[in-house]
Amino acid sequence: GESVGLHLPTLSVQEGDNSIINCAYSNSASDYFIWYKQESGKGPQFIIDIRSNMDKRQGQRVTVLLNKTVKHLSLQIAATQPGDSAVYFCADNRRGGGADGLTFGKGTHLIIQP
Amino acid sequence: AAGVIQSPRHLIKEKRETATLKCYPIPRHDTVYWYQQGPGQDPQFLISFYEKMQSDKGSIPDRFSAQQFSDYHSELNMSSLELGDSALYFCASSLRTSVDNEQFFGPGTRLTVL
C-alpha cells in the first residue's frame, strides 16, 4: 500500500559522531519528502525536505539523500549533539504540494550517548 | 515568530462525551491540517481545510467533524468519544502559495478518554 516507513525503531550514537536515519517508501508517485524531528511532548518540527527531481539536499548539519531507484530516503546528521535526541519521521506529500495531508512513516528514536 | 496555537493543551473526557479542539494557525496561513498521534505511533492525517473549505480527507472517523472559520482558525469536534480516541491531536498550518507548502505543527492537545 501507500506507506512510508523506517528501517529501525531506535538508533544510538556517540555524541560527535554522524547519524544516519533511513526511510523506505512504496508509492512511486511520491514526489516530495520531508524529515521531521519530534521531541517528547512536542509537535513535529520541520528539518529538511527534498523533491523527487533532486538526489541530495543539504542544510545546516543535515543532509537528505534520495534514491528513487530503490525508493529510499536517508537523513544524515553531522556531529550529533545531545539536542538531536528525538524521534525522527520521514513524511510524504504524495501530490507534491497543495492542501494535502502528509503520510508519516514509523519514527526512529535517536539516542545520543555521551 | 508566531507559531500555531492549540487549545486546550490537555483534555480529559469520559466515554461517550464530546470534545472540541481549537487551532489558531500562523498569521497569514490559509490552510490547516489535523493529525492524530496515538501512543508510540506516527501522526495520522485526519482532515485539512483551505480557505474554509475541506480540501483533503484522511482517516477521520465519522464521529469527528471539523471546520475552518473566516479568521482561519479551525475546530475539531469529536463526539461519542471512545477509549481509543485517547491521543495527541496536532494541528498544522501552511501558506498554500508558498513554494513547498511547508506545514508547521502546533504543540498538540493531549486528549485522554476515561
Side-chain angles (χ1 to χ4, degrees), chain A residues 32 36 38 41-44 46 49 51 57 89 95 97-102 104-106, chain B residues 9 31 33 35 37 41-43 45 48 55-56 90 96 99-103 105-107:
Chain A
Y32 179 57
Y36 280 92
Q38 186 175 27
K42 297 183 179 180
F46 174 91
D49 58 3
R51 291 201 168 275
R57 192 173 187 196
F89 293 96
R95 279 162 277 184
D100 295 323
L102 296 174
F104 282 79
K106 303 303 179 187
Chain B
R9 293 295 310 279
T31 306
Y33 311 78
Y35 292 83
Q37 186 177 30
Q41 302 296 311
D42 54 286
F45 170 66
S48 63
S55 61
D56 195 10
F90 290 106
R96 184 161 184 170
V99 174
D100 293 321
N101 198 29
E102 180 185 334
Q103 295 182 28
F105 283 76

Coordinates of all heavy atoms in Angstrom, one line a residue, chain A residues 32 36 38 41-44 46 49 51 57 89 95 97-102 104-106, chain B residues 9 31 33 35 37 41-43 45 48 55-56 90 96 99-103 105-107:
Chain A
Y32 N 7.6 14.4 -3.2 CA 8.1 15.4 -2.2 C 8.2 14.7 -0.9 O 7.2 14.0 -0.4 CB 7.1 16.5 -2.1 CG 7.4 17.6 -1.2 CD1 8.6 18.3 -1.2 CD2 6.5 18.0 -0.2 CE1 8.9 19.3 -0.3 CE2 6.8 19.0 0.7 CZ 8.0 19.6 0.6 OH 8.4 20.6 1.5
Y36 N 11.0 15.2 9.7 CA 10.5 15.9 10.9 C 11.2 15.4 12.1 O 11.5 14.2 12.2 CB 9.0 15.8 11.1 CG 8.2 16.7 10.2 CD1 7.7 16.3 9.0 CD2 7.9 18.0 10.6 CE1 6.9 17.1 8.2 CE2 7.1 18.8 9.9 CZ 6.6 18.4 8.6 OH 5.8 19.2 7.9
Q38 N 10.7 15.2 16.2 CA 9.7 15.3 17.3 C 10.3 15.0 18.7 O 10.7 13.9 18.9 CB 8.5 14.5 17.1 CG 7.4 14.7 18.1 CD 6.1 13.9 17.8 OE1 6.2 12.9 17.2 NE2 5.0 14.5 18.2
G41 N 6.6 15.3 23.9 CA 5.6 16.2 24.3 C 5.4 17.4 23.4 O 4.7 18.3 23.7
K42 N 6.1 17.4 22.2 CA 6.0 18.5 21.3 C 5.5 18.0 19.9 O 5.5 16.8 19.6 CB 7.4 19.2 21.1 CG 7.9 19.8 22.4 CD 9.2 20.5 22.2 CE 9.8 21.1 23.5 NZ 11.0 21.9 23.3
G43 N 5.2 19.0 19.1 CA 4.8 18.7 17.8 C 6.0 18.5 16.8 O 7.1 18.9 17.1
P44 N 5.7 17.8 15.7 CA 6.8 17.6 14.8 C 7.4 18.9 14.3 O 6.7 19.9 14.0 CB 6.1 16.9 13.6 CG 5.0 16.2 14.3 CD 4.5 17.1 15.3
F46 N 9.9 20.7 11.4 CA 10.4 20.5 10.1 C 12.0 20.6 10.2 O 12.5 21.5 10.8 CB 9.9 21.7 9.2 CG 10.6 21.7 7.8 CD1 10.0 21.0 6.7 CD2 11.7 22.5 7.6 CE1 10.6 21.1 5.5 CE2 12.3 22.5 6.3 CZ 11.7 21.8 5.3
D49 N 13.6 19.2 3.5 CA 12.8 18.5 2.5 C 13.5 18.3 1.2 O 14.6 18.8 1.1 CB 11.5 19.2 2.3 CG 11.7 20.7 1.8 OD1 12.9 21.1 1.6 OD2 10.7 21.4 1.6
R51 N 12.7 17.3 -3.1 CA 11.8 16.9 -4.2 C 12.4 15.8 -5.0 O 13.6 15.5 -5.0 CB 11.5 18.1 -5.1 CG 10.7 19.2 -4.4 CD 10.0 20.1 -5.4 NE 9.0 21.0 -4.8 CZ 7.8 20.6 -4.5 NH1 7.4 19.4 -4.8 NH2 6.9 21.4 -3.9
R57 N 20.2 17.1 -0.8 CA 19.9 18.4 -0.4 C 20.6 18.6 1.0 O 20.5 17.8 1.8 CB 18.5 18.8 -0.3 CG 18.2 20.3 -0.2 CD 16.7 20.6 -0.3 NE 16.5 22.1 -0.3 CZ 15.4 22.7 0.0 NH1 14.3 22.0 0.2 NH2 15.3 24.0 -0.1
F89 N 10.9 11.4 11.9 CA 10.0 10.8 11.0 C 10.3 11.3 9.6 O 10.5 12.5 9.4 CB 8.5 11.3 11.3 CG 8.0 10.8 12.6 CD1 8.0 11.5 13.7 CD2 7.3 9.5 12.6 CE1 7.5 11.1 14.9 CE2 6.8 9.1 13.8 CZ 6.9 9.9 15.0
R95 N 1.3 14.4 -3.5 CA 1.0 15.1 -4.7 C 1.8 16.4 -4.8 O 1.6 17.2 -5.6 CB -0.5 15.5 -4.7 CG -1.3 14.3 -5.2 CD -2.8 14.5 -4.9 NE -3.1 14.0 -3.6 CZ -4.3 14.0 -3.0 NH1 -5.3 14.4 -3.8 NH2 -4.5 13.6 -1.8
G97 N 2.6 19.1 -3.0 CA 2.2 20.4 -2.7 C 0.7 20.5 -2.7 O -0.1 19.6 -3.0
G98 N 0.2 21.7 -2.4 CA -1.3 21.9 -2.3 C -1.7 21.4 -0.9 O -0.9 21.1 -0.1
A99 N -3.0 21.5 -0.7 CA -3.5 21.2 0.6 C -3.7 19.7 0.8 O -4.8 19.2 1.0 CB -4.8 21.9 0.8
D100 N -2.6 19.0 0.9 CA -2.7 17.5 1.1 C -2.1 17.1 2.4 O -1.0 17.7 2.8 CB -1.9 16.8 -0.1 CG -2.6 17.0 -1.4 OD1 -3.8 17.0 -1.5 OD2 -1.9 17.1 -2.4
G101 N -2.7 16.2 3.0 CA -2.1 15.7 4.3 C -0.8 14.9 4.0 O -0.6 14.3 3.0
L102 N 0.0 14.9 5.0 CA 1.3 14.2 5.0 C 1.0 12.7 5.4 O 0.2 12.5 6.3 CB 2.3 14.8 5.8 CG 2.8 16.2 5.5 CD1 3.7 16.8 6.5 CD2 3.4 16.2 4.1
F104 N 3.1 9.9 7.3 CA 4.3 9.8 8.0 C 4.7 8.3 8.1 O 3.8 7.4 8.1 CB 4.0 10.2 9.5 CG 4.1 11.7 9.7 CD1 3.0 12.5 9.3 CD2 5.2 12.3 10.2 CE1 3.0 13.9 9.5 CE2 5.2 13.7 10.3 CZ 4.1 14.5 10.0
G105 N 6.0 8.1 8.1 CA 6.5 6.7 8.4 C 6.6 6.5 9.9 O 6.4 7.4 10.7
K106 N 7.0 5.3 10.2 CA 7.3 5.0 11.6 C 8.6 5.7 12.0 O 9.6 5.7 11.3 CB 7.5 3.4 11.8 CG 6.3 2.6 11.3 CD 5.0 3.0 12.0 CE 3.8 2.2 11.4 NZ 2.5 2.7 12.0
Chain B
R9 N -4.5 22.5 25.9 CA -3.3 21.6 25.8 C -3.6 20.2 26.3 O -3.0 19.2 25.8 CB -2.1 22.3 26.5 CG -1.6 23.6 25.9 CD -1.0 23.3 24.5 NE -0.1 22.3 24.4 CZ 1.2 22.4 24.8 NH1 1.6 23.6 25.2 NH2 2.0 21.4 24.7
T31 N -4.2 27.5 5.3 CA -4.5 26.1 5.3 C -4.2 25.5 6.6 O -3.2 25.8 7.2 CB -3.7 25.4 4.2 OG1 -3.9 26.0 2.9 CG2 -4.1 23.9 4.1
Y33 N -4.4 21.7 8.9 CA -4.4 20.3 8.9 C -4.6 19.7 10.3 O -4.0 20.3 11.2 CB -3.1 19.7 8.3 CG -2.6 20.4 7.1 CD1 -2.0 21.6 7.1 CD2 -2.7 19.7 5.8 CE1 -1.5 22.2 6.0 CE2 -2.2 20.3 4.7 CZ -1.6 21.6 4.7 OH -1.1 22.1 3.6
Y35 N -4.0 16.2 12.7 CA -3.4 14.9 12.7 C -3.7 14.3 14.1 O -3.8 15.0 15.1 CB -1.9 15.0 12.5 CG -1.4 15.4 11.2 CD1 -1.4 16.7 10.8 CD2 -1.0 14.4 10.2 CE1 -1.0 17.1 9.5 CE2 -0.6 14.8 9.0 CZ -0.6 16.1 8.6 OH -0.2 16.5 7.4
Q37 N -2.1 11.4 16.8 CA -0.9 10.5 17.1 C -1.2 9.7 18.3 O -1.2 10.3 19.4 CB 0.3 11.4 17.2 CG 1.6 10.6 17.4 CD 2.8 11.4 17.4 OE1 2.8 12.5 17.9 NE2 4.0 10.9 17.0
Q41 N 3.0 6.0 18.2 CA 2.7 5.9 16.8 C 3.1 7.1 16.0 O 3.5 8.1 16.6 CB 1.1 5.7 16.7 CG 0.6 4.5 17.4 CD 1.1 3.2 16.9 OE1 1.1 3.0 15.7 NE2 1.6 2.4 17.8
D42 N 3.0 7.0 14.7 CA 3.3 8.1 13.8 C 2.0 8.9 13.7 O 0.9 8.4 13.8 CB 3.8 7.6 12.5 CG 2.9 6.7 11.8 OD1 2.9 5.5 12.3 OD2 2.2 7.1 10.9
P43 N 2.1 10.2 13.4 CA 0.9 11.0 13.2 C 0.1 10.5 12.0 O 0.7 10.2 10.9 CB 1.5 12.4 12.9 CG 2.9 12.4 13.6 CD 3.4 11.0 13.3
F45 N -2.9 11.6 9.4 CA -3.7 12.7 8.9 C -5.2 12.5 9.0 O -5.7 11.4 8.6 CB -3.3 12.9 7.4 CG -4.1 13.9 6.7 CD1 -4.1 15.3 7.0 CD2 -4.9 13.5 5.6 CE1 -4.9 16.2 6.4 CE2 -5.7 14.5 4.9 CZ -5.7 15.8 5.3
S48 N -8.1 18.3 6.3 CA -7.5 19.7 6.1 C -8.5 20.6 5.4 O -9.4 20.2 4.8 CB -6.2 19.6 5.2 OG -6.5 19.1 3.9
S55 N -10.3 20.4 2.0 CA -9.5 20.2 0.9 C -9.0 18.8 0.7 O -8.6 18.4 -0.4 CB -8.3 21.2 0.8 OG -7.5 21.0 1.9
D56 N -8.9 18.1 1.8 CA -8.4 16.7 1.8 C -8.9 16.0 3.0 O -9.1 16.6 4.1 CB -6.8 16.7 1.8 CG -6.2 15.4 1.4 OD1 -7.0 14.5 0.9 OD2 -5.0 15.2 1.5
F90 N -2.7 17.0 16.7 CA -1.9 18.1 16.3 C -2.6 18.9 15.2 O -3.3 18.3 14.3 CB -0.5 17.6 15.7 CG 0.4 17.1 16.7 CD1 0.6 15.8 16.9 CD2 1.1 18.0 17.6 CE1 1.5 15.3 17.8 CE2 1.9 17.5 18.6 CZ 2.2 16.2 18.7
R96 N -0.6 28.2 1.3 CA -0.7 27.3 0.1 C 0.1 27.9 -1.0 O 0.6 27.1 -1.9 CB -2.2 27.2 -0.3 CG -2.3 26.2 -1.4 CD -3.7 25.7 -1.5 NE -3.8 24.8 -2.6 CZ -4.9 24.0 -2.8 NH1 -5.9 24.1 -2.1 NH2 -4.9 23.1 -3.8
V99 N 6.3 28.0 -1.8 CA 6.9 27.0 -2.8 C 6.6 25.5 -2.4 O 6.1 24.8 -3.3 CB 8.4 27.2 -2.9 CG1 9.0 26.2 -3.8 CG2 8.7 28.6 -3.5
D100 N 6.8 25.2 -1.2 CA 6.7 23.8 -0.8 C 5.5 23.5 0.1 O 5.3 22.4 0.6 CB 7.9 23.3 -0.1 CG 9.1 23.2 -1.1 OD1 8.8 22.8 -2.3 OD2 10.2 23.5 -0.7
N101 N 4.7 24.6 0.4 CA 3.5 24.4 1.2 C 3.9 23.7 2.5 O 3.2 22.8 3.0 CB 2.4 23.6 0.5 CG 1.1 23.8 1.1 OD1 0.8 24.8 1.7 ND2 0.3 22.7 1.0
E102 N 5.0 24.2 3.1 CA 5.5 23.6 4.4 C 4.5 23.7 5.5 O 4.0 24.7 5.7 CB 6.8 24.3 4.8 CG 7.5 23.7 6.0 CD 8.7 24.5 6.5 OE1 9.3 25.1 5.6 OE2 9.0 24.5 7.7
Q103 N 4.4 22.6 6.2 CA 3.4 22.5 7.3 C 4.1 22.8 8.6 O 5.1 22.1 8.9 CB 2.7 21.2 7.3 CG 1.8 20.9 6.1 CD 1.1 19.6 6.1 OE1 0.8 19.1 7.2 NE2 0.8 19.1 4.9
F105 N 3.7 22.7 12.6 CA 2.9 22.0 13.6 C 2.8 22.8 14.9 O 3.7 23.4 15.4 CB 3.4 20.6 13.9 CG 3.1 19.6 12.8 CD1 3.8 19.6 11.6 CD2 2.1 18.7 13.0 CE1 3.6 18.7 10.6 CE2 1.8 17.7 12.0 CZ 2.5 17.8 10.8
G106 N 1.6 22.7 15.5 CA 1.4 23.2 16.8 C 1.9 22.2 17.9 O 2.3 21.1 17.6
P107 N 1.8 22.6 19.2 CA 2.2 21.8 20.3 C 1.4 20.6 20.6 O 1.8 19.7 21.3 CB 2.3 22.8 21.5 CG 1.2 23.8 21.2 CD 1.2 23.9 19.7

